[in-house]
Structure formats: C-alpha cells, structure tokens
C-alpha cells in the first residue's frame, strides 16, 4: 500500500515562500517529486529506503533545486522526460539517468506520467490512484502564472478542459493545500482566463494599447511586486488571441490592436 506525503519546504525561489515536495513510499522504494531544496523530512525519507526515484513536474527553480542535494546520492535515480532532459541539466547540473514518456508508469506505486502543458510547455503531473500531483497547474486560493516566454494560455485552457471532463479525485498542487473539489476549482480557473481574454478584447476595441497598459487595465488589484509577471501573463493572453486572428501584436511584442 503506497502512502503520499506532502512536505512543504521553505525556499526563497518560490513566489509563495514554500513549495510542496511529495514523497510516495511503498515497501522498498520511494518516489520524491519536486524537491525544492534540502529538508530534514526529505532527507529522512530517502535515508529510510534502499532506492529513491526523483522526478519533477517542471524545471523551475522552486521545484527542482533540491536535485543538487539529492541527485548525486548513491541510492537515488533521477528521471527526466524523454527529449527534454536538458532543462533539468541546465537548471541543476544533474543529468537524468532514466527517462519517461507521457503515460509511462514509474517504479513506485504505479505512478503514471500525465501531460499538463500550460504553466510551461513541457509541464507534467504524476497520477497515483485518484490523486494527481499537479505542480503549477492550479492552486486552491489563487491562480498560477502563464508567462509568454515559456508557457501557453491555449495549452493551459486545453489542459483545464481535459481535466474538467475527467477530473481526478484530488489535486496535490505545488503550492498550498490539496484541492478536493477538483472540477469546480478547475472550472473557476478556466472561466477566470476566459474573462481575462474578454477584458483584453474590450480594452482593444477602441484603440491600440501597450501590453503594460492592458495589464494595468485588466488586473483588478494593484500590481505592486507582481507587475512583470502580470505583464508577461497578459502578453501570453494576447499571444493566444493573435494565433486566433483576433488581435495583432507588434514586432517588438509591446503593442496590440484589433485588426480592421
């Protein structure tokens, strides 16, 4: 019988101050997901098993930096997504020893790799029974950033729609508490993104605007401390609308307008 343990780890790399690592145990082996930094609980979990497998949902620093501590240990095996292991090596200097594909089953607890693009284009999750360890797919009380530079609003919305149609029993996110009302939460996040899209189109209905102006107009709170993230997420929304032919974007990616 496998056991899933959520381990919040403090890290300065996290936008929330902590990132959830997850430890899944069976009789002999251990699966460590998203180690953000060295932590006593994670160290103890690895020490108590003869073999530990390490995977990450995506290669952002607040989900991966613990690889520099745990990856070199003799009893650990670092895994990466086939054809995308370079992101892990670039971020940590650790080269994955084994690879998985979408749909692969990992050696511990039958954990299955699930594609969750959006926050990043190669973002994955790990399904164990009815629980989906979901990285930066969703948070219980706030939204996640979808940056133009590395993510995709279109992919994110498609991921949300797929999971709304067939939701897991529980989401185990990278930040904050677990999410049990999965379909309702994912639907709320989907509608929030669609509302933001409508707001952008309404703002552009009369005159061209800069991405900075759009971000200031459509966010319903002061952007102090998150201005850069808000602008890049707004640019990601505009990028989706450009792909759909609803908006034009200047070569500099700074100005947007509705084509006549």
């Amino acid at each position: 019988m496998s056991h899933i343990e959520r381990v919040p780890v403090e890290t300065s790399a996290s936008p929330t101050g902590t990132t959830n690592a997850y430890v899944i145990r069976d009789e002999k082996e251990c699966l460590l997901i998203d180690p953000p930094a060295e932590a006593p609980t994670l160290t103890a979990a690895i020490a108590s098993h003869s073999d530990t497998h390490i995977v990450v949902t995506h290669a952002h620093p607040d989900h991966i930096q613990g690889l520099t501590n745990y990856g070199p240990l003799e009893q650990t095996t670092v895994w990466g997504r086939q054809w995308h292991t370079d992101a892990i090596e670039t971020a940590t200097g650790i080269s994955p020893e084994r690879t998985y594909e979408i749909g692969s089953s990992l050696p511990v607890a039958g954990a299955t790799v699930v594609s969750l693009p959006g926050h990043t284009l190669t973002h994955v999750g790990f399904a164990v029974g009815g629980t989906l360890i979901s990285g930066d797919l969703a948070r219980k009380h706030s939204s996640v950033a979808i940056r133009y530079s590395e993510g995709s609003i279109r992919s994110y919305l498609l991921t949300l729609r797929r999971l709304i149609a067939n939701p897991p029993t529980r989401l185990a996110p990278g930040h904050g508490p677990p999410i049990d009302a999965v379909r309702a939460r994912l639907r709320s996040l989907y509608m929030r993104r669609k509302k933001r899209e409508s707001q952008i189109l309404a703002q552009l209905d009369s005159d061209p605007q800069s991405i900075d102006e759009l971000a200031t107009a459509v966010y319903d709170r002061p952007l102090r401390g998150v201005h850069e993230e808000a602008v890049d997420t707004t640019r990601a929304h505009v990028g989706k609308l450009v792909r759909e032919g609803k908006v034009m974007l200047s070569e500099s990616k700074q100005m947007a307008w509705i084509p006549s």
Side-chain angles (χ1 to χ4, degrees):
M1 182 71 176
S2 59
H3 172 72
I4 303 174
E5 180 181 3
R6 177 170 70 99
V7 183
V9 178
E10 291 186 3
T11 169
S12 60
S14 170
T16 63
T18 62
T19 295
N20 295 328
Y22 289 91
V23 177
I24 304 173
R25 302 177 175 91
D26 60 19
E27 292 181 0
K28 294 183 179 180
E29 296 182 300
C30 170
L31 179 64
L32 174 58
I33 301 174
D34 281 359
E38 188 174 21
T41 305
L42 302 183
T43 302
I46 290 176
S48 63
H49 288 77
S50 58
D51 293 296
T52 295
H53 303 270
I54 306 178
V55 294
V56 296
T57 58
H58 60 296
H60 282 170
D62 59 323
H63 292 257
I64 200 172
Q65 285 300 323
L67 279 182
T68 60
N69 304 102
Y70 300 120
L73 298 179
E74 185 176 349
Q75 72 268 39
T76 63
T77 301
V78 177
W79 292 67
R81 183 173 175 179
Q82 190 172 30
W83 313 119
H84 299 286
T85 58
D86 56 326
I88 294 176
E89 189 166 4
T90 299
T92 66
I94 302 294
S95 180
E97 302 162 70
R98 298 183 65 178
T99 60
Y100 57 74
E101 298 177 350
I102 300 303
S104 295
S105 290
L106 299 175
V108 182
T112 303
V113 183
V114 179
S115 179
L116 301 175
H119 181 67
T120 68
L121 294 177
T122 58
H123 194 295
V124 298
F126 302 94
V128 182
T131 297
L132 177 60
I133 297 168
S134 54
D136 282 343
L137 168 74
R139 298 177 192 164
K140 189 169 186 176
H141 301 299
S142 62
S143 61
V144 298
I146 311 293
R147 290 182 174 271
Y148 179 82
S149 54
E150 57 188 355
S152 166
I153 294 291
R154 180 177 181 274
S155 295
Y156 185 61
L157 292 177
L158 289 172
T159 295
L160 292 178
R161 287 175 60 181
R162 171 164 50 88
L163 292 175
I164 289 167
N166 187 25
T169 304
R170 166 177 278 200
L171 289 181
H175 305 278
I179 300 169
D180 291 313
V182 176
R183 178 176 277 127
R185 181 57 185 152
L186 296 183
R187 186 178 287 123
S188 173
L189 291 171
Y190 182 88
M191 295 308 298
R192 179 176 183 148
R193 294 294 176 182
K194 295 299 288 185
K195 178 182 177 182
R196 183 65 42 80
E197 197 171 283
S198 297
Q199 290 172 320
I200 289 171
L201 289 172
Q203 286 294 318
L204 293 175
D205 191 46
S206 55
D207 294 299
Q209 291 192 28
S210 70
I211 302 299
D212 194 287
E213 289 170 330
L214 283 173
T216 301
V218 302
Y219 275 80
D220 55 2
R221 67 184 191 278
L223 298 181
R224 192 178 302 110
V226 294
H227 182 267
E228 181 184 350
E229 179 180 301
V231 169
D232 208 22
T233 297
T234 301
R235 188 177 287 109
H237 273 282
V238 170
K240 173 181 177 291
L241 295 171
V242 168
R243 181 170 180 169
E244 295 170 351
K246 297 176 182 177
V247 168
M248 298 288 286
L249 188 62
S250 67
E251 188 174 344
S252 67
K253 308 294 190 293
Q254 298 301 318
M255 294 294 298
W257 64 93
I258 294 177
S260 56

